[in-house]
Amino acid sequence: MAIFIVLLGPPGVGKGTQAKILAQAKNLAHISSGDLFRENIKNQTELGKHAKLFIDKGELVPDDVTIDMIRERLSRPDCKPGAILDGFPRTPVQADALEKMLAEFNGQVNVVPYITAPESIVVGRISGRWTCRSNGHIFHQMFNPPKADGICDIDGSELYQREDDKVETVTIRIRVYLEQTIPLVDYYRKTGKLVEINGAQAVEQVSRDLCLAVNN
Ligand code: AMP
């Protein structure tokens, strides 16, 4: 049976980094709603143009658009064994939709690691973050600097600072997270699937804790 893991946590806590590591370790697809939107923005699709209006302001893209995008992604063959969901769901409406979609694919949400860290840490992580233009690889000017300034170690493409990683927008994203996504903590706690992970630790330690959480 397919395994679906939902990573919850504030922006900048390291969900993207951890999702990539975990997806490789468990041989599961990595579905990042933010990466999917950014890919659409880069390719100037209608979806991308619409999503950009919200993303640049730090707001959430409307539920219906987001849910349709994820449904399409989940239907691709690489999701057959399951997937790590990073950044989706972000609202209770999305969480209900996910349950229904997974039932269609004969699956369910198995475990929900909830990665937490104090606000000062997540703001520091976001404001030093550099993202690779081609494949979304993530670097940090202090904690994980690229070997050459402005160039991705992995694929050689340009590194850029996301528009929504600028300090003014980060404050809005954190407020939106507290208002719209925090209710999911209770939603999943009630199902008994929530496991809290201390995201303030070093990347390797968070990975170890996460592996333990999903293997139990
Ligand atoms: P992320 O890369 O996960 O930080 O997402 C970047 C931005 O994409 C968010 O600030 C939202 O504007 C948008 N976004 C990503 N995932 C979702 C989602 N599940 N629902 C609505 N908007 C989303």
Side-chain angles (χ1 to χ4, degrees):
M1 184 137 146
I3 297 170
F4 292 94
I5 299 168
V6 167
L7 290 188
L8 265 190
V13 80
K15 294 188 299 298
T17 302
Q18 295 299 336
K20 284 192 178 77
I21 298 171
L22 193 58
Q24 253 195 343
K26 307 234 15 129
N27 227 346
L28 297 173
H30 170 205
I31 301 183
S32 156
S33 44
D35 283 353
L36 290 172
F37 283 130
R38 283 184 286 279
E39 207 176 292
N40 275 280
I41 292 172
K42 192 171 78 180
N43 296 333
Q44 299 186 347
T45 65
E46 284 310 309
L47 168 64
K49 286 180 204 160
H50 183 58
K52 191 174 184 326
L53 301 174
F54 300 91
I55 293 176
D56 284 354
K57 286 191 284 189
E59 293 169 6
L60 293 187
V61 178
D63 283 333
D64 53 346
V65 178
T66 307
I67 291 165
D68 284 349
M69 178 180 77
I70 296 294
R71 178 180 291 109
E72 188 282 319
R73 180 66 187 87
L74 279 169
S75 69
R76 295 193 214 158
D78 65 325
C79 293
K80 269 252 146 55
I84 318 283
L85 289 146
D86 153 21
F88 182 92
R90 253 175 161 98
T91 65
V93 170
Q94 294 180 11
D96 285 337
L98 178 64
E99 228 166 277
K100 293 197 183 94
M101 286 190 270
L102 293 185
E104 286 168 32
F105 297 112
N106 233 345
Q108 56 162 327
V109 172
N110 297 82
V111 55
V112 182
Y114 171 37
I115 311 177
T116 59
E119 190 168 319
S120 57
I121 291 191
V122 300
V123 170
R125 285 187 186 162
I126 296 181
S127 53
R129 176 157 71 182
W130 291 92
T131 303
C132 139
R133 187 78 73 188
S134 300
N135 293 299
H137 299 122
I138 301 161
F139 296 84
H140 190 281
Q141 64 193 30
M142 257 171 71
F143 310 125
N144 177 27
K147 291 194 183 87
D149 265 2
I151 296 172
C152 174
D153 290 358
I154 301 161
D155 60 29
S157 70
E158 182 201 8
L159 297 178
Y160 74 107
Q161 188 182 36
R162 283 166 43 180
E163 194 55 42
D164 62 338
D165 278 353
K166 304 205 165 133
V167 171
E168 316 80 80
T169 320
V170 170
T171 317
I172 300 171
R173 285 166 66 201
I174 290 174
R175 200 191 64 223
V176 166
Y177 168 76
L178 294 174
E179 286 172 6
Q180 303 198 48
T181 308
I182 277 288
L184 292 186
V185 172
D186 255 356
Y187 179 103
Y188 284 118
R189 191 173 272 132
K190 283 190 188 126
T191 66
K193 293 173 180 168
L194 195 86
V195 188
E196 287 201 36
I197 308 275
N198 176 6
Q201 310 172 94
V203 173
E204 298 74 17
Q205 188 56 49
V206 178
S207 291
R208 279 194 286 272
D209 290 357
L210 199 52
C211 257
L212 279 177
V214 303
N215 289 334
N216 277 335

